Amino acid sequence: MAASVRHLLKPWTPSLCLVRWSRYNSYYLDPDPSKDARVPDSELSPEQKELQELKTVRRIKAALSSDTSSPFSDPLMSKFINMMMQDGSKILARGIMTQPREEIECSPHSVFQQALENCKPIIGLASVQKGGKSYQVPVPLTDNRRGFLAMKWMITECRDNKHRRTHMYEKLSQELLAAFANEGNVVKRKHDLHRMAEANRAYAHYRWW
Amino acid sequence: MAASGCRGVRSILWKYGSYGKNLFVSRSKMVPQLPLRQIYVASSLWKKNLAAAGPQKFTQEFIDKQVEEFEVGKRHLANMMGEDPETFTQEDIDRSIAYLFPSGLFEKRARPVMKHPEEIFPKQTAIQWDAEGRPFHFLFYTGKQSYYSLLHDVYEKILAIERHQDKMRNKGLFTSDTKQILLTGSRWLLKEEIEENLVENISVQDYMRLIQLMELLLSMPYCSLEEEFILKFRKQLEVQSSKYEIPALQYDPQGVAFSVADGRRKSAKASITLRDSGSGNITINGRNYLHYFPVLQNREQLMFPLLFVGMMGRFDIEGSVEGSGHSAQAGALRLAISRALLSFVSEGEVEKMRQAGLLTADPRIRERKKPGQEGARKKFTWKKR
């Protein structure tokens, strides 16, 4: 980690073909909009100290429009809203997310977090081709991937499997409550995935990464 | 080298006359009719051409003459512009040349320039061997004499530090927590920069080897003995927070402090006046911000810098914004508010704001549509045949 951080001190030179490119070059570091999130200097590990020093000499990207320093902003919530957004209508997506507040009584924030935690799969399946046949191989998932799958299943389930006449926020709130209690379709889907992985555990050695 | 040796031999053969003619293999370059009894010519005279054809194209005298002319020209220029020749800096020279020779060329390097000859003429190696053909440096035959001599120097220093360590150990004064060299805010010189210093080409592996050796030097406890040597190979990176221009704090006739700043995002332009000792009113384009921004996210963006700095109810904000959509206008206003806040806030806070991403102008714009595709990223339906 220390070696990689030192490596970041080299100035950026553009490489040739930039296919998926961003307006920032890789010299820019990500911003940290949270207020007073600073741990006092004595408790930082040496790598974190290096990172702090690196931040003083490197340029930082601009904060996103959806980020604020207020304690009410939640990165998980922002991610969920973005995933639910269609055709760029953030206003609508955010409205749907903030509406279940009236239906859920006790601390909707923690209910949301706990429900998504209950939906996260622990192990996933990857398709590996071997000897002409493709097998579903059980594979560990990164935290990002697990969170993404949980949110994706939640949104898909709310969009597809409910009655046409109910509003999105109603469907969402019902599903979230059910997931919080470890019932409902999303948690069932997670359990199905776990069962398939357990069934296919004979192929686990096909994984080479 | 072989050619020179051959020519040296040739001159001896010519000296010994007739039988030399029989042994000799004729070449097209050779002058056919030289007299038999030629006076022996020293081989060094043949070698003069080789040296001149080598790396050095400008002699030291030439460069010195150029430096003299530059100094004299600098004084003439200062007199022409009516300024003091003693305190005429390079920036003044650039300014004067841009004034006297205005050029509309787009390529900056093609415009007329007057700089010190050190910067114009590339650094070259001097002739590395003497009149006899013997090289001066003992590492000449490695091909990269400066690089290898540098490696030798670094290793010498490592050995010296080890000896120092042993001495301290013998005296019983050895400690691991000696003064460490501060490496924060600096980086190793790049391969290109080292090549410039050594006036030699080195390969990537050579460069990595050099950096490895320097890191080894740094890892020893008593490396502070060689601090200035190591710092020669480090380049200081400037601290970024010093790059932001803080708008000047102005005062009302009533004595109220206020500052003005601009911000832009995506084609929206915003201008903000931040007045002190207010009560937190925000007026944009003459309307209250609740009317102008019905969306919660945009109002949050307006409040973000104030909340971050902790000065929520202190200021009155008066802003005007035009162009683009609601979200971009909110972003432009946020940038303008952050910039205006810089004049009310301390140095440490400026750095914190910068690291929160409040002071960077967002460069993202709409990506263009490409030919052969539906949009920026969306492709036409893929048909197999």
Side-chain angles (χ1 to χ4, degrees):
Chain A
M1 170 61 175
S4 66
V5 166
R6 284 244 194 125
H7 167 76
L8 290 172
L9 276 172
K10 277 179 17 184
W12 179 80
T13 41
S15 52
L16 285 175
C17 37
L18 304 162
V19 178
R20 295 242 143 198
W21 61 300
S22 109
R23 293 284 298 183
Y24 296 108
N25 63 42
S26 48
Y27 201 68
Y28 284 78
L29 298 175
D30 285 319
D32 176 27
S34 58
K35 191 176 141 183
D36 300 330
R38 272 135 232 284
V39 186
D41 276 337
S42 47
E43 294 174 15
L44 289 174
S45 70
E47 290 156 355
Q48 284 175 317
K49 274 195 187 139
E50 270 212 61
L51 195 64
Q52 279 227 326
E53 278 148 13
L54 184 69
K55 278 193 167 182
T56 47
V57 284
R58 283 280 207 118
R59 275 170 259 177
I60 309 257
K61 297 185 194 174
L64 295 172
S65 312
S66 43
D67 287 341
T68 39
S69 58
S70 76
F72 298 112
S73 73
D74 181 21
L76 187 65
M77 187 79 84
S78 311
K79 188 91 197 150
F80 196 78
I81 291 172
N82 283 343
M83 283 179 69
M84 225 170 33
M85 171 170 68
Q86 274 182 329
D87 299 326
S89 52
K90 176 91 93 163
I91 310 170
L92 189 59
R94 193 160 173 181
I96 293 172
M97 273 312 291
T98 44
Q99 260 178 324
R101 302 286 169 259
E102 293 115 43
E103 313 237 330
I104 303 176
E105 299 92 14
C106 48
S107 175
H109 182 76
S110 59
V111 165
F112 174 68
Q113 295 230 325
Q114 186 57 43
L116 278 185
E117 269 298 317
N118 291 348
C119 295
K120 279 189 188 175
I122 301 173
I123 193 167
L125 290 174
S127 189
V128 173
Q129 263 213 323
K130 198 162 163 114
K133 239 178 96 174
S134 28
Y135 300 97
Q136 293 293 318
V137 172
V139 119
L141 297 172
T142 56
D143 275 334
N144 276 346
R145 179 83 184 141
R146 293 170 60 208
F148 171 78
L149 280 175
M151 290 193 267
K152 182 99 181 150
W153 289 341
M154 179 70 74
I155 295 171
T156 327
E157 211 274 316
C158 289
R159 280 183 187 154
D160 302 336
N161 300 350
K162 297 288 190 177
H163 190 223
R164 195 182 69 98
R165 296 285 285 179
T166 47
H167 290 277
M168 183 68 174
Y169 62 86
E170 288 171 20
K171 298 189 248 190
L172 234 197
S173 51
Q174 286 167 17
E175 253 327 297
L176 282 174
L177 279 173
F180 184 67
N182 270 321
E183 313 159 337
N185 282 341
V186 193
V187 178
K188 181 166 158 308
R189 189 165 169 180
K190 171 186 98 157
H191 288 322
D192 285 342
L193 181 63
H194 284 176
R195 252 176 266 133
M196 282 244 348
E198 187 62 31
N200 280 2
R201 67 169 188 246
Y203 303 127
H205 63 286
Y206 283 174
R207 178 175 65 100
W208 66 83
W209 59 89
Chain B
M1 285 302 134
S4 66
C6 167
R7 280 195 209 178
V9 166
R10 214 185 301 139
S11 62
I12 298 169
L13 284 172
W14 276 116
K15 181 188 168 189
Y16 289 109
S18 51
Y19 69 87
K21 228 167 50 173
N22 299 332
L23 297 174
F24 189 77
V25 177
S26 66
R27 287 194 187 163
S28 51
K29 279 189 220 167
M30 268 305 297
V31 179
Q33 283 142 12
L34 268 179
L36 287 175
R37 247 190 291 147
Q38 199 191 359
I39 306 163
Y40 174 70
V41 171
S43 46
S44 58
L45 274 186
W46 295 107
K47 284 172 205 154
K48 237 199 222 167
N49 292 331
L50 285 181
Q56 184 154 350
K57 292 185 189 81
F58 311 109
T59 52
Q60 193 53 40
E61 299 94 45
F62 175 76
I63 297 210
D64 290 334
K65 197 158 84 66
Q66 294 293 317
V67 174
E68 256 182 62
E69 283 183 8
F70 173 77
E71 295 297 329
V72 170
K74 197 166 98 163
R75 298 185 76 89
H76 278 308
L77 188 61
N79 284 327
M80 263 195 268
M81 300 297 290
E83 296 194 28
D84 183 17
E86 304 299 327
T87 57
F88 207 55
T89 59
Q90 185 58 47
E91 286 157 7
D92 297 325
I93 298 181
D94 293 335
R95 202 176 20 91
S96 325
I97 295 285
Y99 172 71
L100 291 169
F101 304 99
S103 159
L105 295 174
F106 287 123
E107 175 69 60
K108 299 268 160 64
R109 288 177 294 180
R111 294 183 179 181
V113 107
M114 179 169 165
K115 286 200 189 301
H116 193 86
E118 300 258 283
E119 293 168 44
I120 297 188
F121 296 103
K123 263 206 248 181
Q124 305 152 101
T125 45
I127 297 185
Q128 287 154 349
W129 51 88
D130 57 12
E132 305 293 312
R134 259 195 218 109
F136 294 127
H137 203 282
F138 73 104
L139 287 172
F140 173 78
Y141 288 110
T142 59
K144 304 178 213 174
Q145 68 181 43
S146 335
Y147 168 73
Y148 283 108
S149 74
L150 178 62
L151 285 190
H152 275 280
D153 288 336
V154 176
Y155 193 59
E156 278 286 333
K157 297 203 192 289
I158 292 177
L159 289 177
I161 291 182
E162 281 185 358
R163 266 178 261 133
H164 180 80
Q165 265 178 22
D166 291 337
K167 258 199 300 190
M168 301 300 266
R169 249 186 266 258
N170 289 339
K171 286 194 215 161
L173 295 170
F174 179 76
T175 43
S176 312
D177 54 337
T178 46
K179 178 180 154 231
Q180 292 298 317
I181 307 181
L182 279 175
L183 293 176
T184 61
S186 62
R187 57 166 173 88
W188 289 118
L189 284 185
L190 292 179
K191 176 169 160 299
E192 288 76 18
E193 289 163 347
I194 291 192
E195 276 181 358
E196 232 181 311
N197 285 347
L198 298 177
V199 199
E200 245 176 25
N201 289 335
I202 52 178
S203 72
V204 180
Q205 291 86 356
D206 293 338
Y207 172 70
M208 280 171 18
R209 180 90 188 97
L210 176 64
I211 299 292
Q212 265 176 3
L213 263 182
M214 301 297 289
E215 300 262 342
L216 176 62
L217 185 57
L218 274 177
S219 68
M220 313 182 80
Y222 285 96
C223 57
S224 48
L225 296 171
E226 303 297 341
E227 189 169 337
E228 50 168 285
F229 177 73
I230 294 176
L231 287 178
K232 268 196 273 183
F233 291 92
R234 299 269 317 182
K235 184 162 173 182
Q236 279 300 117
L237 291 168
E238 26 180 313
V239 176
Q240 293 287 331
S241 58
S242 53
K243 280 191 176 171
Y244 290 99
E245 186 201 300
I246 303 178
L249 199 58
Q250 297 160 56
Y251 287 92
D252 246 357
Q254 282 86 31
V256 174
F258 71 97
S259 69
V260 179
D262 289 334
R264 273 201 286 192
R265 167 103 210 264
K266 247 203 220 180
S267 83
K269 295 197 221 320
S271 173
I272 282 276
T273 315
L274 208 65
R275 266 174 240 278
D276 206 352
S277 35
S279 52
N281 299 329
I282 306 184
T283 316
I284 301 178
N285 282 358
R287 288 156 46 182
N288 196 12
Y289 72 117
L290 280 169
H291 291 305
Y292 196 77
F293 287 127
V295 181
L296 176 65
Q297 182 178 292
N298 299 336
R299 276 175 273 141
E300 273 177 357
Q301 287 299 290
L302 285 188
M303 280 184 261
F304 180 12
L306 296 171
L307 186 65
F308 189 81
V309 174
M311 300 178 180
M312 278 292 285
R314 186 173 146 185
F315 296 103
D316 265 341
I317 301 179
E318 192 191 304
S320 63
V321 66
E322 53 167 7
S324 212
H326 61 94
S327 203
Q329 286 185 345
L333 281 165
R334 183 186 88 186
L335 183 62
I337 294 176
S338 324
R339 283 183 181 163
L341 266 181
L342 287 180
S343 42
F344 290 98
V345 122
S346 64
E347 280 286 326
E349 283 290 319
V350 167
E351 179 58 26
K352 280 192 195 171
M353 280 174 80
R354 189 188 76 90
Q355 290 196 5
L358 281 170
L359 297 175
T360 321
D362 205 326
R364 299 178 290 169
I365 50 168
R366 191 179 140 264
E367 199 174 315
R368 70 161 277 195
K369 174 196 172 318
K370 284 107 192 173
Q373 289 179 0
E374 186 75 60
R377 298 277 169 111
K378 179 172 165 126
K379 323 278 189 278
F380 292 127
T381 327
W382 180 71
K383 298 203 179 71
K384 200 161 175 179
R385 26 192 88 83

